[in-house]
Amino acid sequence: MDTLVELLDMSAQRFPSNTAVTMRIGVRSTHYTYPELWDRAGRFAALLVRQSVAPGDRVVFWSPNHPDYVAALFGTFMAGAVAVPLDVACSRDFTERVLRQTSPTLAFATQKLAGVLAESIGWPAFFIVSTIAALPA
């Protein structure tokens, strides 16, 4: 095993019924098996390619914990891009400094945080966390 993507692929094949990600949000729990995580990650990787994200490009992750955060992170790795995680509690000044230094191509953010980024630097390209399930296979 050389990469996290290869490890996820192997886990999806070897442990198809095992849970890869579990998260409780309020009273609701979300569970993804390894194959489900692999599928969601592949959908996100395809989205990145359609959005002209190339290997080595940076993708900002500015989102609270969410199961699709994990899928998007693996999808970013699948596409060969670099993930730039930001803490949702970081200051606007810090966020703007990181964005200037990393020059990301796209941001993975909630709708609310995407609005803050748009106000800060005028980015048009955002992906809202709740839509990975709706992406084509």
Side-chain angles (χ1 to χ4, degrees):
M1 219 57 48
D2 292 323
T3 68
L4 290 173
V5 171
E6 291 170 341
L7 182 61
L8 178 59
D9 183 26
M10 184 272 306
S11 296
Q13 293 175 40
R14 287 186 59 196
F15 311 110
S17 61
N18 287 14
T19 300
V21 176
T22 299
M23 182 168 196
R24 173 173 257 148
I25 302 172
V27 296
R28 187 174 150 254
S29 290
T30 300
H31 308 275
Y32 295 157
T33 63
Y34 284 103
E36 288 169 335
L37 181 59
W38 177 258
D39 177 67
R40 291 172 102 77
R43 290 175 188 217
F44 191 77
L47 170 79
L48 294 179
V49 171
R50 285 193 304 274
Q51 295 296 319
S52 301
V53 174
D57 283 354
R58 291 163 193 87
V59 176
V60 165
F61 282 75
W62 201 28
S63 169
N65 289 336
H66 189 280
D68 278 338
Y69 185 106
V70 178
L73 190 62
F74 273 104
T76 299
F77 299 151
M78 287 176 167
V82 177
V84 180
L86 288 172
D87 184 338
V88 293
C90 64
S91 72
R92 187 175 184 143
D93 288 344
F94 176 80
T95 301
E96 289 175 355
R97 188 169 57 251
V98 169
L99 294 174
R100 279 192 306 274
Q101 290 174 353
T102 60
S103 300
T105 304
L106 192 113
F108 175 88
T110 62
Q111 192 166 13
K112 179 181 177 183
L113 293 174
V116 172
L117 291 173
E119 287 174 20
S120 294
I121 58 172
W123 270 4
F126 293 103
F127 181 66
I128 310 306
V129 296
S130 61
T131 60
I132 287 182
L135 293 174

